[in-house]
Amino acid sequence: MPQPPAKRSRRFLFRNFPTPEAASEEDEEGGMPPRQPRLAWQEIWSSRGSNRPAQDSLLAVERTPVEAFLPAEDSSPAEAIAQAAGSSQAEESKDKSQLPDRNKARNLRRRDKAVKFIRAYVRGKEKDDEEQKMLFLSKICDLCRCVTEKGVPMNLHGFCSKHKLVENIMVLLEKEPMDSLRTEFRQKAMETVTVLSNTVPTALHGKKESLLNVCCKSVFFLPPESDMPETERVLYTKTMKAMDTMLEDFVFNYPIASFNTEMQNMLKVMLDFAGSKNPAVRERAVKVIGRLITFIRWYLVIKILGNFENYGNDEPTDFNLCIPILGKLLGHLLLFSSGDDSMRHSALESLHLMYTIVREGRACSLKHRMEIYVLGRLIWNDTRFPFSITSTPCEIAKGFGIYLFSAERLDIILTALEALQDSSIHNKQGACSVLDAALEVPDYWLTDVPTIMECIRRNLGRIHTASARQCLDSLLLQLTTMMSRREVKNLLRFSPPHDSTDLAMWEVILAMPRTLEKVLNIMMRDLPLCDWCTAVTEDTCIRRLAMLAQNHISEEDFGNPVHLQSYLRHPSPEMRLVVLKGLCTVSESPEKARKIQVLLPDILEALQDTNTDVVLKALPVLRNVMAHVKRRKASGLALQLAEKLLPLFDHASSQVREHSICLFQAVMEAVLRQRKNKMKRPVHRSLLPLYLHMGDQSESVAKASGEALAVAAKFLQRKELKRLAQTEQTWRIGECLLQQDRGRVEEYLQQSQPYLKATQTNLRLEAVRFIGLAARYCEDQSEEKLNEILSVLQPSKEDPEPTVCSLAVQTTLILASRHNTMSGRRFPLLCCR
């Protein structure tokens, strides 16, 4: 922890410069070389004593009306001096032994000269002259010294307010260039403000935040220190020291009663700069925040203990820091602690010191929930000191969590959520690390669910980084499980189709069964369906989604489901899955199944979805609709379904294969006689896949394939094929297909080739066997055709499965030898001719 400075009198701020008399004596002794000519403001600034007044000097002066001491507007300094001399002569008449107060007259002249110059400068129009600006600042300091050190009576507050000295200093600072630092003006301006703060603190009331903002802006936006010339670098160091001194005096002059409020305002200004996109500005702001925290620590020690010299680190204290912005400040420091090395060190030091302040102030005032959190950390052996160069924001946040109130913990969470935005200056991993601390103990950190949910809703549309979205999704799901019924109802008032952010929230919330079930159950239990229907409009159908989960919704309540099309077409598979889950339940009712026909084109498109769960939910919806609609409509739907189901026979999911084959069987049985001719082509194309999948490794798929093949044989009126399928004589089905469909042998060959690369060994084995068999029935027995078939089987000769490899080798040898035999028989015949 940084040590407090040595105790010193508050009367002095700067080092005393030698007086002219002392300088002349040293010159006579030869101790100092002749100095160079100096400007007027330099003479005034350096020839006077300390510019830091006694702490209570202004209050010690006997107050009199300002007219009694200020020179008249049109009077000359000589008249003011004469007036002062006249009062001295009056005093001499009372006590003739008292000598004239020559020092008082000299101080009055100093005061009058300063007042005259300040008046003239403030009223003048030419204020950009560098020497005049510096002289203006030095005269203000000279005036303050006259009042505080020399005891010259004057109403400084009235003078400062009337001539707007603080406002004029701010105007001059705002005119300073931000790309360079060539003069001492900024340094002297902050030193002058420090003098005013100590001499006449009321002159700065209500202006400190604006003044601090202007001072920081004039320095923070300068180029990085490493890019400055040597001369500017020296000036920059002095200027930053002057700013530290100014801030220190600001802090130490605050009364205890208003300390929290005043520090709130100062830290808010600094956090605004800490959020800048300029790296140099951020780095400087974080360093100044660290200095402010140091000053806070010293302030509390001095004000509370009142014993600066005897203070020790282990000494108990009873102060409490309740700055409203504390949570937001800690949130930003936690984020900076995971950022660049240039700011990481400063942020960690600030966090360390702030941890000491909060721990000492609140160790004896923990609330019940905080004590439970501490006990939890003890149980998990997670009580080590969390601040080191390798500490993560999560570890540090957990360390602070013991001593933070609920509102402060909430501010940390909200700050981390804001940092997840794509445009944020903060490291996304750092923000996720902070949120991880909250997810570990959600009951302690996530106490204000509505506020956090609203923050997520505001920012979700601007968060696209994969890691950030994953972290946010976890937080959103956790919040949903913690939501009350009222909060769920408030969330359901959002309008997803026209608000992509709200829709994104629902995609996450409804993606998990436990959260979906909670939301839907709450809504179904708390609101009558009639109220739902009246509230549902074309652009608010999240409520209609909730209705889909109800098993006993009347046809009247269900209404027209056409508005669900936007969800079925949504790019998110989670949202499509939610709709299909609901439709699967609703389609069990004949009346509602008939209403779903309007969604059939979108449900058919779902069969080609890359998400397996979506396909699995679309298949039973289609089957239910076919079962409940009229026969003529079912026949028309069957023709649309047939072509889309065939690719699903080879799906990676065994469930999809089984359900698609079963649905294809229902499709063949639903076709009316007058549409059978149109159905024959897809049925012919299904024969080979169904035959091969009778050897599927999944018993349910193999069984469904045999049953569907029997129905297909019946549909095509092939009794022998039907008998073989029913008796499961798979070794004869392939030859039966080739014998009965000699005109389709070439098509079968093309269909069987993809199965040579199937993941299942049984399918590859059956494909090799069928291709060898089909080669015998092929009408084209040319050498070219044989070479084509052999090239197709060539990769299977290197199959990792020995049975497939062996069968492929045997098949190629048999085909080659048979071709040679046939060629030998033909050759003699040709020769005889």
Side-chain angles (χ1 to χ4, degrees), residues 433-725:
S433 182
V434 174
L435 294 175
D436 287 341
L439 288 171
E440 285 187 21
V441 192
D443 291 337
Y444 181 70
W445 284 87
L446 308 177
T447 53
D448 192 345
V449 175
T451 302
I452 300 175
M453 290 290 281
E454 177 60 26
C455 183
I456 293 175
R457 193 180 76 85
R458 282 197 316 269
N459 294 287
L460 191 59
R462 297 186 289 273
I463 301 175
H464 299 95
T465 307
S467 60
R469 283 304 293 262
Q470 184 178 0
C471 176
L472 196 62
D473 290 353
S474 300
L475 177 63
L476 193 53
L477 291 174
Q478 179 62 53
L479 290 169
T480 306
T481 61
M482 301 169 65
M483 290 169 66
S484 65
R485 295 181 182 180
R486 181 179 298 277
E487 291 161 1
V488 172
K489 284 189 274 188
N490 290 337
L491 192 62
L492 284 169
R493 294 196 183 111
F494 297 149
S495 176
H498 291 303
D499 190 333
S500 58
T501 301
D502 296 335
L503 180 55
M505 288 183 66
W506 276 102
E507 290 174 3
V508 178
I509 292 173
L510 302 181
M512 298 297 290
R514 57 191 175 95
T515 55
L516 174 61
E517 182 180 1
K518 174 176 180 174
V519 171
L520 300 183
N521 286 342
I522 287 176
M523 297 313 301
M524 290 299 101
R525 184 166 61 249
D526 288 356
L527 289 179
L529 286 179
C530 58
D531 293 344
W532 279 66
C533 294
T534 56
V536 172
T537 61
E538 292 187 5
D539 61 348
T540 56
C541 47
I542 279 292
R543 301 183 180 187
R544 195 177 292 278
L545 283 178
M547 291 172 63
L548 292 177
Q550 192 75 355
N551 292 328
H552 305 292
I553 302 177
S554 67
E555 183 179 356
E556 180 182 357
D557 288 333
F558 182 63
N560 187 351
V562 68
H563 306 309
L564 295 174
Q565 287 178 339
S566 61
Y567 290 98
L568 286 171
R569 298 171 184 174
H570 195 270
S572 169
E574 289 81 7
M575 185 56 66
R576 298 195 298 272
L577 183 60
V578 167
V579 181
L580 290 169
K581 282 180 179 178
L583 291 176
C584 187
T585 304
V586 170
S587 61
E588 295 175 358
S589 164
E591 296 81 5
K592 291 188 283 291
R594 286 191 281 270
K595 286 193 173 186
I596 292 175
Q597 291 181 84
V598 69
L599 301 175
L600 284 178
D602 298 294
I603 300 175
L604 288 171
E605 286 298 317
L607 294 178
Q608 302 177 35
D609 204 294
T610 56
N611 186 285
T612 300
D613 293 331
V614 171
V615 178
L616 277 174
K617 286 302 175 184
L619 289 170
V621 174
L622 292 168
R623 181 163 189 164
N624 289 341
V625 172
M626 281 194 59
H628 295 307
V629 298
K630 294 180 179 180
R631 184 71 185 274
R632 183 176 297 277
K633 289 190 176 181
S635 180
L637 176 59
L639 292 173
Q640 300 177 55
L641 264 176
E643 292 290 343
K644 292 189 178 292
L645 289 174
L646 290 175
L648 299 181
F649 292 0
D650 303 315
H651 200 277
S653 168
S654 61
Q655 288 181 297
V656 172
R657 295 197 300 273
E658 178 186 356
H659 290 304
S660 60
I661 290 171
C662 291
L663 182 56
F664 187 81
Q665 179 180 335
V667 163
M668 291 185 292
E669 293 173 341
V671 175
L672 294 176
R673 181 179 301 176
Q674 58 268 33
R675 296 191 178 184
K676 280 192 174 183
N677 286 335
K678 294 182 179 180
M679 191 66 179
K680 282 184 179 180
R681 174 170 173 74
V683 173
H684 274 296
R685 290 184 58 203
S686 72
L687 296 179
L688 180 63
L690 292 174
Y691 152 61
L692 293 177
H693 279 289
M694 287 182 70
D696 197 286
Q697 65 185 11
S698 170
E699 293 183 4
S700 59
V701 175
K703 182 180 179 180
S705 298
E707 293 174 356
L709 184 60
V711 173
K714 179 182 178 181
F715 183 90
L716 297 173
Q717 298 181 354
R718 296 188 182 180
K719 295 181 180 181
E720 180 63 14
L721 180 60
K722 177 182 177 182
R723 184 182 66 80
L724 294 175

Side-chain angles (χ1 to χ4, degrees), residues 800-816:
E801 183 62 37
T803 55
V804 177
C805 179
S806 176
L807 182 61
V809 170
Q810 293 177 23
T811 303
T812 54
L813 289 175
I814 292 172
L815 291 177

Side-chain angles (χ1 to χ4, degrees), residues 1 297 319 351-361:
M1 183 189 80
R297 174 67 172 161
F319 60 81
L351 286 167
H352 182 198
L353 188 57
M354 185 58 75
Y355 179 82
T356 304
I357 295 172
V358 176
R359 181 191 62 192
E360 292 180 352

Side-chain angles (χ1 to χ4, degrees), residues 36-184:
Q36 298 296 325
R38 301 166 70 90
L39 298 174
W41 68 267
Q42 291 173 321
E43 291 292 343
I44 294 174
W45 201 283
S46 62
S47 64
R48 306 303 179 188
S50 169
N51 59 6
R52 184 163 185 170
Q55 184 175 5
D56 56 352
S57 60
L58 186 60
L59 298 177
V61 176
E62 187 175 350
R63 303 296 178 87
T64 55
V66 66
E67 292 81 2
F69 300 109
L70 273 179
E73 294 289 335
D74 300 327
S75 66
S76 64
E79 293 175 353
I81 295 173
Q83 181 181 355
S87 65
S88 299
Q89 292 174 3
E91 292 178 5
E92 277 186 44
S93 63
K94 295 180 181 179
D95 188 1
K96 294 183 180 181
S97 63
Q98 183 178 356
L99 296 175
D101 191 355
R102 294 193 181 101
N103 288 335
K104 185 173 182 179
R106 185 171 65 248
N107 292 330
L108 283 171
R109 286 196 299 271
R110 283 178 56 190
R111 182 200 69 180
D112 293 343
K113 287 180 181 179
V115 168
K116 185 177 181 180
F117 180 86
I118 292 171
R119 282 176 176 168
Y121 183 82
V122 169
R123 293 172 180 175
K125 296 182 179 179
E126 298 296 331
K127 298 182 181 181
D128 296 332
D129 182 77
E130 198 65 33
E131 184 176 355
Q132 293 295 306
K133 290 195 300 184
M134 299 298 287
L135 194 57
F136 169 64
L137 298 177
S138 64
K139 290 292 185 181
I140 294 175
C141 294
D142 199 38
L143 182 61
C144 292
R145 291 190 196 101
C146 287
V147 175
T148 57
E149 295 177 13
K150 306 303 180 181
V152 177
M154 182 177 180
N155 184 352
L156 277 179
H157 173 75
F159 182 77
C160 292
S161 300
K162 180 177 181 180
H163 297 283
K164 299 183 179 179
L165 299 189
V166 177
E167 289 84 346
N168 275 280
I169 292 174
M170 286 194 286
V171 171
L172 293 174
L173 279 171
E174 288 177 338
K175 291 182 178 179
E176 288 292 294
M178 292 187 182
D179 58 348
S180 63
L181 182 64
R182 299 188 180 91
T183 70
E184 296 178 314

